[in-house]
């Protein structure tokens, strides 16, 4: 049983969190998912309150750590010393990922030094201005670190993690119920291609 931590903060983007949480919830026998933050609950951009299962620092013990995003929430999270000091992540023993502007947190933590990453196209220039090497890809994988650009790229990020922990059969099992009718083959090709191209 693997431990997956999804890190949120105030004004996180709803779909970035809820889609990842829902996808991982499809295979509950394979991993335990915890929602972490610095408060008992955090409120999304659209006003949804999500209870946390513990402090953000618990991410340091997780097998997989995923950072949500938020156009408004990310700048505040980066400026929150309690939040940023919580993390002592190790990409040698942990799988670490981010969706959209969650890559700003990885960069601030020094996890993207001398490597490539991606983010949402609207945030690309801001991440470059911080010194990051940003690629125009839906998913970029370097070692145990994966960054995804765009909310729906959660399919690729979660798929990569399922394959890394198990195999492609586990990925297909996890995604099967959420794919549109009569488009499974189309999505299978997109997911396989995105993961393969992310490692180049």
């Amino acid at each position: 049983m693997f431990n997956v931590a999804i890190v949120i903060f105030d004004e996180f983007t709803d779909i970035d969190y809820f889609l990842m949480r829902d996808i991982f919830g499809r295979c509950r026998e394979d991993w335990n998912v915890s929602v972490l933050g610095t408060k008992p609950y955090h409120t999304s951009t659209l006003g949804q309150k999500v209870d946390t299962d513990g402090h953000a620092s618990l991410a340091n013990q997780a097998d997989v750590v995923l950072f949500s995003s938020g156009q408004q929430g990310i700048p505040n999270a980066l400026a929150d010393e309690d939040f940023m000091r919580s993390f002592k992540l190790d990409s040698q023993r942990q799988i670490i990922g981010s969706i959209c502007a969650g890559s700003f947190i990885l960069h601030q933590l020094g996890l993207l030094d001398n490597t490539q990453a991606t983010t949402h196209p609207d945030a690309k220039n801001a991440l470059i201005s911080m010194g990051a090497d940003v690629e125009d890809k839906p998913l970029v994988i370097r070692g145990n670190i994966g960054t995804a650009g765009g909310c729906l790229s959660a399919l690729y990020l979660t798929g990569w993690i399922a394959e890394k922990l198990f195999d492609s059969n586990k990925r297909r099992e996890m995604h099967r119920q959420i794919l549109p009718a009569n488009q499974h083959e189309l999505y299978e090709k997109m997911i396989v291609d995105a993961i393969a191209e992310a490692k180049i």
Side-chain angles (χ1 to χ4, degrees), residues 161-174:
I161 292 168
E163 289 190 1
K164 196 165 179 66
L165 296 177
F166 293 95
D167 52 31
S168 58
N169 289 328
K170 181 61 63 180
R171 169 183 56 76
R172 284 189 285 269
E173 176 190 346
M174 181 175 67

Side-chain angles (χ1 to χ4, degrees), residues 165-197:
L165 296 177
F166 293 95
D167 52 31
S168 58
N169 289 328
K170 181 61 63 180
R171 169 183 56 76
R172 284 189 285 269
E173 176 190 346
M174 181 175 67
H175 285 159
R176 183 182 61 81
Q177 293 179 331
I178 66 171
L179 298 182
N182 200 35
Q183 291 190 333
H184 281 70
E185 290 184 7
L186 172 64
Y187 274 87
E188 174 69 11
K189 183 178 187 321
M190 288 195 301
I191 294 168
V192 168
D193 289 349
I195 294 173
E197 293 171 4

Side-chain angles (χ1 to χ4, degrees), residues 67-71 74-75 78 84 97-140 145-150:
F67 289 90
S68 190
S69 183
Q71 184 177 11
I74 285 290
L78 294 175
M84 294 303 298
S98 65
I99 192 84
C100 293
S103 56
F104 283 70
I105 297 173
L106 300 191
H107 184 271
Q108 190 89 338
L109 292 173
L111 294 168
L112 301 182
D113 291 349
N114 303 312
T115 191
Q116 295 78 36
T118 189
T119 189
H120 190 279
D122 290 350
K124 176 182 176 181
N125 289 336
L127 188 57
I128 290 174
S129 71
M130 293 175 65
D133 184 357
V134 182
E135 295 192 2
D136 285 317
K137 291 183 176 182
L139 180 68
V140 171
I145 297 177
T147 54

Side-chain angles (χ1 to χ4, degrees), residues 6-119:
I6 301 179
V7 181
I8 60 173
F9 36 78
D10 284 333
E11 295 191 87
F12 64 88
T13 299
D14 293 67
I15 191 171
D16 289 342
Y17 162 72
F18 287 109
L19 184 53
M20 288 194 296
R21 181 67 186 89
D22 184 274
I23 290 173
F24 278 111
R26 304 285 168 162
C27 296
R28 298 181 187 179
E29 71 280 5
D30 297 309
W31 39 62
N32 177 56
V33 180
S34 298
V35 182
L36 305 180
T38 56
K39 300 177 181 179
Y41 67 85
H42 286 286
T43 305
S44 75
T45 300
L46 298 180
Q48 296 295 312
K49 292 182 179 179
V50 173
D51 292 336
T52 57
D53 299 308
H55 192 269
S57 58
L58 293 176
N60 301 323
Q61 282 76 53
D63 299 300
V64 179
V65 183
L66 298 171
F67 289 90
S68 190
S69 183
Q71 184 177 11
Q72 303 300 322
I74 285 290
N76 292 331
L78 294 175
D80 184 341
E81 293 184 3
D82 178 40
F83 178 80
M84 294 303 298
R85 279 199 306 254
S86 299
F87 304 106
K88 300 287 186 273
L89 304 179
D90 182 357
S91 61
Q92 296 300 310
R93 64 175 181 82
Q94 295 176 292
I95 299 172
I96 303 169
S98 65
I99 192 84
C100 293
S103 56
F104 283 70
I105 297 173
L106 300 191
H107 184 271
Q108 190 89 338
L109 292 173
L111 294 168
L112 301 182
D113 291 349
N114 303 312
T115 191
Q116 295 78 36
T118 189
T119 189

